[in-house]
Amino acid sequence: MTGTEVAVPMLRWGILGTGWISTMFTKDLLADRPDADCRHAISAVGSSSISKGKTFVANCWKETTTHTRPRVYDSYQAVYTDTNVDIVYVGTPHSEHKKNCLDAIAAGKHVLCEKPLTINAKEGQEVVDAAREKGVFLMEAVWTRFSPLFSALKEELFVKKTIGDVHRMFVDFGNKMPLDTLPSTHRLKDPALGAGALLDIGIYALTYASVILGDWKLGLQHPTPVVTSSLDIHDGMDLSNVIVLDYPSKDTTGHESTKTAICTSSFKCKSPDDFARIDGSCGSILIFGLAASVPGGFRILLYPASPGEEKSETERIFTVEKPKDTLGFFWEADAVARDIAAGRTENAVVPLDESIRMMQLMDKIRKDAGLVYPQDTV
C-alpha cells in the first residue's frame, strides 16, 4: 500500500439466528457494491441445528457470489470463540438479546444487536455496562437511522427550514400478522419472548418522532416529552398501540408552544405507503416506503402564504437510492466498520445512552398500560 492509499475497513461477522432479520442483514452484506468504502465477510453462523444453519447459508449464498461461505455451528458459544470472528450480529428473539450480548462481550467480541437492545432498560443497562467495562464496540441495530433519508430530512427541517416551524407529526407502522395461525410459543405471541407490537415495530415509530421532534438531540441531551399512551392488550401482549409525545418548543418568534407526535403501530392492519407526515407552518413532508423500517423517500408540499394564493413551489420528491435487491442494512454495517476501524466503542447516530433512553420510554409506556413481561419481575 502506498502512502496515498487508505485502508478499507474490514469486518468479519458471526451471525446469531437464522430468521428473517438475520437473512436480510446477511444478504445485504453479500450484495455487490463496487463503490463500497467498507468490506464485510461472514465467517460464522450460529443456529439451533447444523441443518438450519446450512439451509440459511444455501439461501443467502448464491452460486454466483464470490464471498466465502461461513462455518456453521449448532451453538452460539462456538461463534463467540471463533478466532475468525471480529463482531457478532445478534438476530435472535428479543428475550435472548441480553444473554447473547453478555456472552459475546465476555468473549471479547464487538456486538451489533437487533432492536430492541433488550426487553427492558434494566437489562439494557447491564449490557451497556458490560461492553464499556470490556472496551468492546456495542450498538443497537436501529438500521433505519442510517438510511440517507434521515440526513436528507435533517437538511430540509433544520438547515433549510423548508416547511417552517415544525408543529406536529404522525407516524404509523402497521404490519398485519397472521397471529391466529401461529403457535403460542412464537416470538410474536409469547410474552416471555417480548411479544407485542410496541417492542417489535412500535420502536420504529418512536424513533422517527423522537429524532425529529427532539431536534436530533439524543440520549442524555434529549428533551423530555410528556407521554400519553394506550395499548390494546390481549393474552399478555399488545396487538396495537397509540402513543402521543408532547415536546416543549419555541417558534421563530420566541413564543413557547408544544410539538406533538402521534405514533401508532399495529399487528392488525398494514400501513399505507405514506406512513408518516410532518406538518410545519409552511408545508408538510410526507414519508413513504414499504414500511417505516424501509423508507423509500419523502415528498415536500409547500402551502400558500395566505388563503387563496397559489402554491409557491411545486411538489418536490427525495428518493432513497440503493443497490438492486438490498434493503439498506449495509449502511448500518458500514458505519459499524468505520467506528471499529477508528477505535470507537459506540456510534454517534445510535449512541448507547439513546438506546437506554428508548428502553426507558417503552418501559414507561408498558407500565402505564399494565403490560408486564416476566423479565420485569426479576
Side-chain angles (χ1 to χ4, degrees):
M1 184 169 65
T2 67
T4 58
E5 292 176 328
V6 178
V8 175
M10 169 71 180
L11 274 184
R12 299 174 300 172
W13 294 81
I15 307 295
L16 297 193
T18 55
W20 183 87
I21 197 75
S22 291
T23 300
M24 296 300 103
F25 178 82
T26 299
K27 285 184 175 181
D28 259 25
L29 263 60
L30 298 176
D32 183 23
R33 295 189 295 136
D35 298 329
D37 62 358
C38 297
R39 295 173 57 213
H40 304 278
I42 313 297
S43 299
V45 171
S47 181
S48 57
S49 70
I50 294 295
S51 62
K52 284 182 64 176
K54 287 184 175 180
T55 299
F56 173 83
V57 171
N59 182 30
C60 295
W61 274 257
K62 304 304 181 185
E63 292 182 1
T64 56
T65 185
T66 58
H67 290 268
T68 302
R69 296 195 172 211
R71 184 164 183 176
V72 176
Y73 296 106
D74 61 359
S75 76
Y76 297 154
Q77 190 61 43
V79 175
Y80 309 143
T81 56
D82 190 321
T83 57
N84 292 314
V85 171
D86 302 314
I87 182 168
V88 172
Y89 170 80
V90 178
T92 56
H94 309 333
S95 57
E96 299 302 309
H97 289 183
K98 173 188 170 183
K99 176 174 172 51
N100 296 155
C101 287
L102 291 177
D103 288 347
I105 291 167
K109 302 299 186 185
H110 303 300
V111 177
L112 175 64
C113 179
E114 263 309 324
K115 54 83 205 155
L117 181 61
T118 52
I119 291 289
N120 55 38
K122 179 177 180 293
E123 288 191 348
Q125 193 64 58
E126 288 183 57
V127 172
V128 168
D129 290 345
R132 286 173 171 166
E133 182 177 352
K134 194 73 172 180
V136 298
F137 179 91
L138 170 68
M139 191 181 86
E140 182 182 23
V142 190
W143 64 289
T144 306
R145 283 288 283 112
F146 297 89
S147 167
L149 177 113
F150 271 90
S151 56
L153 281 174
K154 187 175 184 180
E155 177 74 12
E156 297 291 350
L157 293 170
F158 297 102
V159 179
K160 296 179 180 178
K161 297 186 181 298
T162 303
I163 63 170
D165 294 325
V166 174
H167 293 303
R168 65 179 185 176
M169 180 175 184
F170 304 87
V171 57
D172 175 62
F173 194 161
N175 194 8
K176 184 172 175 57
M177 293 293 190
L179 297 179
D180 291 341
T181 67
L182 300 176
S184 60
T185 55
H186 194 278
R187 73 169 190 87
L188 293 177
K189 295 180 69 172
D190 188 350
L193 301 182
L198 178 63
L199 264 62
D200 199 63
I201 57 178
I203 188 172
Y204 286 104
L206 291 173
T207 294
Y208 279 92
S210 293
V211 171
I212 294 169
L213 295 197
D215 296 336
W216 257 261
K217 295 177 181 177
L218 307 173
L220 301 178
Q221 283 70 50
H222 191 82
T224 303
V226 175
V227 182
T228 309
S229 59
S230 174
L231 274 61
D232 180 14
I233 302 173
H234 292 272
D235 298 324
M237 59 168 286
D238 66 304
L239 294 177
S240 62
N241 54 70
V242 179
I243 303 156
V244 180
L245 304 177
D246 286 318
Y247 283 88
S249 177
K250 288 185 179 180
D251 60 23
T252 51
T253 64
H255 292 138
E256 293 187 357
S257 61
T258 299
K259 296 183 293 186
T260 298
I262 299 176
C263 308
T264 57
S265 64
S266 176
F267 282 161
K268 299 190 289 186
C269 54
K270 186 185 182 307
S271 303
D273 290 345
D274 289 343
F275 62 82
R277 189 180 83 230
I278 308 163
D279 291 333
S281 55
C282 302
S284 296
I285 294 179
L286 282 75
I287 309 175
F288 59 84
L290 294 175
S293 57
V294 194
F298 58 78
R299 300 193 303 278
I300 299 174
L301 304 174
L302 297 181
Y303 304 145
S306 60
E309 291 186 17
E310 294 183 0
K311 287 186 178 181
S312 58
E313 186 176 328
T314 57
E315 177 180 279
R316 184 153 52 86
I317 298 177
F318 170 83
T319 302
V320 175
E321 302 291 342
K322 55 182 181 288
K324 182 181 178 181
D325 297 327
T326 64
L327 289 179
F329 287 96
F330 58 84
W331 285 314
E332 168 187 72
D334 288 353
V336 172
R338 287 190 289 268
D339 280 335
I340 292 175
R344 292 185 287 268
T345 55
E346 62 180 286
N347 178 268
V349 174
V350 185
L352 298 177
D353 285 342
E354 174 66 5
S355 293
I356 296 300
R357 186 195 70 80
M358 187 64 73
M359 292 306 312
Q360 291 171 337
L361 173 59
M362 293 191 293
D363 283 357
K364 171 179 169 48
I365 292 167
R366 290 195 298 109
K367 182 178 179 181
D368 290 348
L371 178 56
V372 178
Y373 292 132
Q375 293 84 349
D376 299 326
T377 59
V378 175

